[in-house]
Amino acid sequence: MALNRLLVTGAAGFIGSNFAHYWHRHYPQSRLIILDALTYAGNRANLTDLLAHPQVDLVEGNICDRTLVARLLKEYAIDTLVHFAAESHVDRSILGPEAFVQTNVVGTFTLLEAFRTHWQDQGKPEQLRFLHVSTDEVYGSLGPNDPAFSETTPYAPNSPYSASKAGSDHLARAYYHTYGLPTLITNCSNNYGPYHFPEKLIPLMCVNMLLGKPLPIYGDGQNIRDWLFVEDHCSALDAVLRGAAPGETYNIGGEAEVKNIDLVNLLCDLMNDLAPDLPIRPTQELITYVTDRPGHDRRYAMDISKIQADLGWQPSVTLEDGLKKTVTWYLEHRDWWMPLLSEEYQHYYKQIYEYP
Ligand code: NAD
Ligand code: DAU
């Protein structure tokens, strides 16, 4: 297994930047080339300390740029591509699906094609890997008593976001079956932790509590998600890169299913305890039910027995500990999230929350 020279796409975003920090901490000798278009979700500040290290470089560019991708693969003699770059927010995919098809489907296709050429040009070495990072949302929605999603659950994506991720998963799978390209696919549940852009539920709630703004709960608040602390996702990807056979797919999850309203109440309790001064206390007073997300999936749950059995991975951070770390991080990093509440963000916010 090589794993010495990584091209990591989308690592100026939430999970990718956590992965870059994780990887550099565990394998400081590894070369890390980050390719990121720095969209609204990409942020150099997520990588500041890492970029000071000579082993880590950030290239600003688009994964749909085949010439650029081919050049990076060759110039840096990449042996492992870890693909995080995506349009990742369901609500934005409902407002404007086109960017999701471009980046998630066409971008993944472009990377696969460039990587196939790179692999073929070297005589198809066995140790190269293309890890495609995907989501549990490709499996659709569960009823309250349905068994959790397994790797053999049929795909049934319901949003433009999940449909575009499903398309990219199918391409990664097909490149293994057709060409023998050593691809790996992971499907993970909802992540949370540091550097999470404040459009997603947990960081949005933390930021709004600190600003004394309403905490918008979609529909009846009874939708269920399975939450995984981002550091545990990174260790799962590490286990997959080191131990999985080419062509394999693994589900990753936190075994921590919670209803949205219960999760928000937990966050409120933590913030009430941890924040020295708050505009509104208790923060539960800010909870506001708003119009539901169109096509809102009711429940996600992951069966993680395959990764546990094959690779010995399991989540290590409890929901209670992970949420406490996360709330503390948002409390201590106002300088990180304040600049993100830009004019573009306010425009987006109005579209989602003020025009039902
Ligand atoms: P994010 O939105 O925080 O980050 C995405 C990154 O990709 C940003 O840095 C952005 O600038 C970059 N990017 C977007 N379009 C690009 C393009 N065309 N070319 C190059 N870079 C581009 O996303 P995230 O939450 O960190 O998710 C990362 C990956 O993990 C995604 O593929 C997502 O589908 C998957 N995933 C996310 C979760 C979750 O809970 N956040 C769970 C499971 C899987
Ligand atoms: O399941 C994995 C997926 O998790 C990833 O593939 C996506 O990239 C990631 O964005 C996330 O998708 P969700 O739609 O589950 O996450 P989000 O944080 O947007 O919403 C979580 C739940 O909270 C969902 O049921 C919708 C609800 N919600 C969300 C927001 C932003 C609210 O009730 N109010 C809100 O303001």
Side-chain angles (χ1 to χ4, degrees):
M1 182 55 52
L3 295 175
N4 292 322
R5 307 179 68 80
L6 276 61
L7 179 64
V8 188
T9 71
F14 164 47
I15 304 175
S17 62
N18 277 282
F19 177 82
H21 283 103
Y22 170 98
W23 197 265
H24 183 67
R25 208 166 48 249
H26 288 81
Y27 311 108
Q29 75 290 351
S30 256
R31 190 82 169 91
L32 279 182
I33 308 300
I34 292 165
L35 172 60
D36 199 296
L38 298 179
T39 67
Y40 79 93
N43 188 349
R44 259 175 213 280
N46 298 359
L47 299 165
T48 313
D49 47 337
L50 266 189
L51 293 175
H53 200 283
Q55 291 294 89
V56 186
D57 277 308
L58 169 64
V59 177
E60 184 175 346
N62 200 304
I63 57 167
C64 298
D65 182 344
R66 170 85 188 262
T67 310
L68 171 65
V69 175
R71 180 173 68 71
L72 295 176
L73 291 171
K74 192 169 179 189
E75 193 172 308
Y76 293 102
I78 296 298
D79 56 45
T80 307
L81 194 155
V82 187
H83 176 33
F84 294 97
E87 288 293 338
S88 69
H89 191 35
V90 174
D91 293 324
R92 287 192 193 247
S93 83
I94 296 167
L95 289 175
E98 191 171 346
F100 288 72
V101 174
Q102 269 307 320
T103 286
N104 300 359
V105 182
V106 179
T108 303
F109 165 72
T110 307
L111 292 173
L112 284 164
E113 271 297 274
F115 197 77
R116 181 164 76 93
T117 304
H118 176 64
W119 173 70
Q120 281 173 344
D121 285 351
Q122 296 170 74
K124 304 183 178 178
E126 268 178 28
Q127 71 276 16
L128 263 63
R129 289 290 179 275
F130 184 116
L131 170 56
H132 174 63
V133 179
S134 191
T135 170
D136 59 359
E137 301 202 11
V138 297
Y139 297 122
S141 183
L142 293 169
N145 300 315
D146 288 339
F149 300 129
S150 78
E151 288 81 356
T152 55
T153 301
Y155 274 32
N158 289 320
S159 70
Y161 163 69
S162 54
S164 67
K165 290 297 291 188
S168 61
D169 292 13
H170 290 322
L171 285 168
R173 181 179 184 277
Y175 270 61
Y176 171 71
H177 282 271
T178 305
Y179 305 112
L181 192 74
T183 60
L184 300 164
I185 301 172
T186 52
N187 295 91
C188 189
S189 65
N190 287 62
N191 284 218
Y192 66 99
Y195 304 115
H196 205 179
F197 191 84
E199 64 187 353
K200 310 278 168 66
L201 180 72
I202 290 181
L204 183 94
M205 294 296 150
C206 292
V207 164
N208 282 12
M209 282 184 230
L210 290 166
L211 296 174
K213 286 178 61 177
L215 307 178
I217 310 286
Y218 295 160
D220 62 5
Q222 301 295 305
N223 302 66
I224 294 175
R225 296 292 181 266
D226 165 40
W227 294 96
L228 180 71
F229 192 60
V230 64
E231 186 82 3
D232 274 336
H233 189 184
C234 297
S235 70
L237 298 176
D238 185 358
V240 168
L241 282 167
R242 290 183 176 277
E248 276 293 355
T249 291
Y250 282 98
N251 280 358
I252 302 168
E255 296 194 311
E257 282 185 61
V258 198
K259 289 179 181 156
N260 290 342
I261 186 63
D262 295 340
L263 181 78
V264 171
N265 269 304
L266 282 172
L267 289 167
C268 287
D269 287 343
L270 282 165
M271 197 59 94
N272 295 338
D273 285 352
L274 295 169
D277 42 23
L278 282 166
I280 306 282
R281 187 192 293 277
T283 48
Q284 275 86 352
E285 284 176 21
L286 295 167
I287 290 176
T288 310
Y289 286 88
V290 301
T291 309
D292 208 354
R293 171 187 281 174
H296 195 176
D297 285 338
R298 195 66 174 166
R299 173 178 166 237
Y300 303 143
M302 288 301 246
D303 175 348
I304 57 167
S305 49
K306 182 177 170 188
I307 191 169
Q308 285 173 319
D310 287 5
L311 305 177
W313 176 86
Q314 53 187 32
S316 68
V317 180
T318 63
L319 184 68
E320 197 183 33
D321 286 351
L323 291 180
K324 190 169 179 185
K325 283 181 200 207
T326 305
V327 168
T328 305
W329 193 87
Y330 280 86
L331 257 172
E332 291 174 352
H333 290 84
R334 201 177 265 264
D335 58 330
W336 179 84
W337 57 260
M338 274 303 260
L340 302 179
L341 311 182
S342 61
E343 209 173 302
E344 191 279 333
Y345 179 87
Q346 305 301 342
H347 177 67
Y348 161 78
Y349 202 92
K350 279 202 178 88
Q351 282 180 288
I352 294 288
Y353 298 104
E354 291 174 26
Y355 302 118

